[in-house]
Amino acid sequence: QVQLVESGGGLAQPGGSLKLSCAASGNNFDIFAMGWYRQAPGKQRELVAYITNRGRTNYADAVKGRFTISRDNAKNTAYLQMDSLKPEDTAVYYCNVDTSGANYWGQGTQVTVSS
């Protein structure tokens, strides 16, 4: 079993920045990829970005050039640096971890971009 703890959400002004963190813990697991998804009210959950254990990254077109995903393998922690935030980035952001045994989700953290 893997537990995920997310942090870093909150309120930001348009053009501002926030940084999300997702720490994974548990016993006997190998992480293949860590990523972030988001879900806005009335919309489906969508991929924001992910990073593999070899450092390969992938971003949704809507966040390319503004968001940066990184990972500390020693700490089993992923980060999402969000810059140049827009109101349309407002959503609940969920951490996702793909391991050798299963796929896990965090509890979600609210990000609100508003003036």
Side-chain angles (χ1 to χ4, degrees), residues 38-61:
R38 67 185 182 187
Q39 188 167 18
K43 295 187 177 181
Q44 290 188 332
R45 190 173 299 189
E46 62 178 5
L47 173 69
V48 176
Y50 71 78
I51 182 167
T52 70
N53 57 356
R54 296 188 177 186
R56 183 172 63 90
T57 60
N58 188 50
Y59 295 92
D61 288 343

Side-chain angles (χ1 to χ4, degrees), residues 2-5 22-26 29 31 34 75-78 95 97:
V2 174
Q3 294 78 42
L4 302 180
V5 177
C22 174
S25 62
F29 65 98
I31 296 177
M34 300 183 77
K75 296 181 179 180
N76 287 327
T77 299
C95 176
V97 171

Side-chain angles (χ1 to χ4, degrees), residues 2 6 19 32 37 45 49 52 55 58 63 70-71 75 78-79 81 84-85 87-88 93 98 112 114:
V2 174
E6 301 164 344
K19 186 174 183 178
F32 293 149
Y37 289 71
R45 190 173 299 189
T52 70
N58 188 50
V63 307
S70 60
R71 179 172 167 177
K75 296 181 179 180
Y79 306 95
Q81 177 67 44
S84 301
L85 283 163
E88 50 264 43
Y93 284 69
D98 187 23
T112 302
S114 175

